[in-house]
Amino acid sequence: MTRFLLRTGGLFASLLLLATTVMADDRPNILFCIADDWGGGPHAGVLGDPIVKTPTFDRLARDGVLFPYTYVPAPSCTPCRGGILTGQIPHRLEEGGNLWSRLPAKFKCYPALLEQAGYTIGLERKGWGPGTLRDTGRTRNPAGPSFKNFEAFLETVPEGKPFCFWAGTSDPHRGYAKGSGIAAGMDPEDIDMPAWLPDTPEVRSDILDYYVEVQRFDRDIGQRIALLEKTGKLDNTLVIMTGDHGMPFPRGKCNLYDSGSQVPFVVSWPSQVKGGRVVDDFISFTDIAPTFLQAAGLEPLAEMTGRSFLDVLKSGKSGRVDATRDKVFVERERHTVCRPDAQSYPSRMIRTYEFLYIRNLRPHLWPAGDPEVYRDIDGSPSKSEVVDRRNEPAIAPFFDLACAKRPAEELYDLSKDPQQIDNVAGRPQYADVQKQLRAELDRWMIETDDPRAKGETDFFDKVQYVGGGGPKTRPPKK
């Protein structure tokens, strides 16, 4: 009997210790909310857009930290999302550097690392992709197992244990309900027109249709925030709300200009991060994975090219906080199959506060894809305006901005040309700046093992485009 009491007493003590450990798990929950094609402009109320209503994003900005200088690693869905998940710049992800590709299992992703550390993880709708899991060594989306919705996921999270959830939507990806913006009461005359799009009624209406879907995304995320409040989990949840690249318009998505690569980005964590701040440090999406890992008490992986900005979040400061965050790098490889032999359009970019410098490594190719389709631009009323009317004097400059061949080097003086229209590369007064930025870009490419740093390669051309229409062969395994 005594032996039994000792055994049961020991068991009770173990269970008590386990329960105490569970209750003491104060690691943050993580909710990552990402739109599809939301970016390339200040398309949120708190960012100054005069039309679009984004009360959820605006609230998170009031409660958290707004980062205006946030950039994607590549302005294309698959490589961008691969960069988020792995913390690595996409050129390190082999075929994962292309749209409609594969992300081999050897590239570790933060959700699985958090799951191994005791987190419950999940995914709603669009996670990593588009692409295929076939021949990757993966059995599920790298963003986590799929759930019908956030509420269904929360029901699976053990009491007292942290979770990590990826809330992805298809908004504001095309197609749109034509005229939906005007039908919703939006006034096309209120649009602050981008300098890189023609100011026509068709384009203005198309922008309003895009706004309708931005607002729907904002409402969707608002429901998830409300659920966190209702369940008492919001205070210790690290929330990020953003988009995966620029808007799907000519010279937007797929481009290395701000119109394609800069995105809205806000972070909220009420119990740990002082809110109501605007931080002007440069943030890359490759910084997200190491930040999540560090917030969970884990060390970021050595192979991650991004770096945690948890110190910036917890600093309580606004403006420029970390002096080393004074630049960001963005790249692109193949988006769609739209050139002979499925050729990529490789480009690399460095963005500072003062300048944007781009190197187009194959300037003999068409940046938006071969005529007359220009397939790297999503079909839309705006594309039709630019392409079909390109011979009209009022439209021709916009066609050139979106579709014409580009020089090997581009340089934009952001103090004079914030929308990056006037290429000043080659002008004597900018020679020193161009040389300096060229050298910095070269150094970054070498340091991050960019295959392009070693010269021309057809690797990204030969990788299978699993969306259909691409090459049937794949490159030899390394």
Side-chain angles (χ1 to χ4, degrees):
M1 183 68 174
T2 303
R3 213 176 295 142
F4 172 76
L5 289 174
L6 286 173
R7 286 201 303 269
T8 54
L11 176 61
F12 177 77
S14 297
L15 290 172
L16 181 62
L17 177 61
L18 177 61
T20 303
T21 302
V22 169
M23 295 303 293
D25 194 340
D26 58 355
R27 293 177 296 176
N29 304 308
I30 294 171
L31 175 61
F32 181 66
C33 311
I34 185 166
D36 198 357
D37 294 12
W38 180 40
H43 306 144
V46 73
L47 295 175
D49 192 289
I51 300 177
V52 67
K53 307 299 182 187
T54 53
T56 304
F57 187 83
D58 299 353
R59 175 203 170 164
L60 292 174
R62 289 192 303 271
D63 295 344
V65 186
L66 186 65
F67 289 89
Y69 291 94
T70 299
Y71 287 77
V72 300
S76 176
C77 286
T78 314
C80 171
R81 291 161 186 260
I84 294 169
L85 288 160
T86 64
Q88 298 196 57
I89 198 71
H91 65 239
R92 296 168 61 92
L93 303 179
E94 297 179 358
E95 56 191 294
N98 281 353
L99 183 74
W100 276 105
S101 61
R102 294 171 171 83
L103 185 62
K106 68 180 180 180
F107 298 112
K108 297 179 181 178
C109 297
Y110 77 79
L113 296 172
L114 291 175
E115 184 179 35
Q116 293 167 13
Y119 273 70
T120 302
I121 68 170
L123 157 70
E124 179 182 4
R125 290 186 272 183
K126 185 172 180 179
W128 173 83
T132 182
L133 299 181
R134 182 167 38 87
D135 299 328
T136 65
R138 301 183 188 274
T139 58
R140 68 185 186 195
N141 193 291
S146 293
F147 286 82
K148 179 180 178 181
N149 53 46
F150 187 39
E151 185 173 12
F153 165 76
L154 286 180
E155 292 174 355
T156 70
V157 180
E159 185 66 31
K161 283 294 186 180
F163 67 79
C164 173
F165 191 76
W166 177 301
T169 77
S170 59
D171 291 331
H173 195 288
R174 294 187 183 275
Y176 305 150
K178 190 172 182 180
S180 57
I182 292 176
M186 298 179 183
D187 188 345
E189 294 303 315
D190 291 339
I191 297 174
D192 185 7
M193 283 295 295
W196 35 274
L197 286 175
D199 189 353
T200 70
E202 289 76 12
V203 175
R204 282 183 177 262
S205 179
D206 199 22
I207 292 174
L208 295 185
D209 297 346
Y210 159 79
Y211 282 166
V212 167
E213 296 212 358
V214 170
Q215 293 183 164
R216 186 166 61 194
F217 165 69
D218 190 85
R219 288 195 301 272
D220 281 352
I221 301 308
Q223 294 171 1
R224 287 142 188 79
I225 299 301
L227 186 57
L228 288 176
E229 280 189 300
K230 180 181 177 181
T231 56
K233 299 178 184 297
L234 181 60
D235 196 48
N236 193 35
T237 299
L238 197 170
V239 180
I240 288 180
M241 184 174 177
T242 189
D244 64 354
H245 49 65
M247 61 196 297
F249 285 72
R251 200 181 163 90
K253 174 180 178 177
C254 272
N255 287 272
L256 300 186
Y257 313 109
D258 285 2
S259 53
S261 300
Q262 189 176 26
V263 290
F265 190 82
V266 68
V267 185
S268 173
W269 185 5
S271 68
Q272 297 293 323
V273 172
K274 178 184 175 183
R277 297 153 51 202
V278 178
V279 172
D280 294 328
D281 293 5
F282 278 102
I283 300 294
S284 166
F285 271 17
T286 58
D287 300 333
I288 293 172
T291 301
F292 284 165
L293 292 177
Q294 189 177 27
L298 302 175
E299 285 292 323
L301 301 182
E303 59 264 33
M304 291 180 171
T305 57
R307 57 193 180 101
S308 171
F309 57 95
L310 188 64
D311 57 338
V312 174
L313 286 173
K314 291 193 170 185
S315 70
K317 299 178 181 178
S318 299
R320 296 193 45 187
V321 178
D322 182 346
T324 67
R325 291 186 171 274
D326 58 351
K327 66 180 74 70
V328 71
F329 299 90
V330 184
E331 63 182 38
R332 69 162 287 186
E333 284 294 341
R334 190 180 64 203
H335 188 63
T336 65
V337 175
C338 55
R339 301 173 191 87
D341 301 318
Q343 292 178 90
S344 175
Y345 189 81
S347 302
R348 303 291 185 264
M349 178 270 271
I350 177 173
R351 171 65 151 84
T352 69
Y353 295 106
E354 297 83 15
F355 293 95
L356 182 143
Y357 170 80
I358 297 174
R359 181 176 305 147
N360 299 306
L361 299 171
R362 292 178 177 174
H364 61 287
L365 298 179
W366 299 93
D370 279 7
E372 295 290 316
V373 178
Y374 305 105
R375 192 181 173 197
D376 274 353
I377 304 174
D378 289 5
S380 66
S382 294
K383 178 179 179 178
S384 296
E385 282 288 276
V386 167
V387 174
D388 296 347
R389 300 177 58 188
R390 62 186 179 274
N391 293 324
E392 299 178 22
I395 303 297
F398 299 99
F399 172 81
D400 289 342
L401 287 172
C403 302
K405 291 182 178 180
R406 296 169 183 168
E409 293 183 277
E410 299 178 67
L411 179 66
Y412 298 93
D413 183 342
L414 303 176
S415 64
K416 300 176 181 178
D417 180 26
Q419 297 201 52
Q420 301 135 34
I421 304 298
D422 182 26
N423 180 16
V424 299
R427 298 182 189 177
Q429 63 269 40
Y430 292 100
D432 289 343
V433 170
Q434 187 173 341
K435 180 180 179 181
Q436 176 192 343
L437 294 177
R438 183 192 301 125
E440 287 197 55
L441 186 61
D442 284 342
R443 183 163 51 250
W444 172 79
M445 291 172 67
I446 293 170
E447 289 175 351
T448 57
D449 296 319
D450 189 340
R452 300 287 179 187
K454 301 173 184 177
E456 175 63 21
T457 174
D458 61 0
F459 175 86
F460 296 101
D461 308 335
K462 291 184 176 180
V463 170
Q464 184 184 12
Y465 183 83
V466 301
K472 302 303 180 185
T473 59
R474 299 179 62 193
K477 293 185 181 296
K478 291 186 174 181

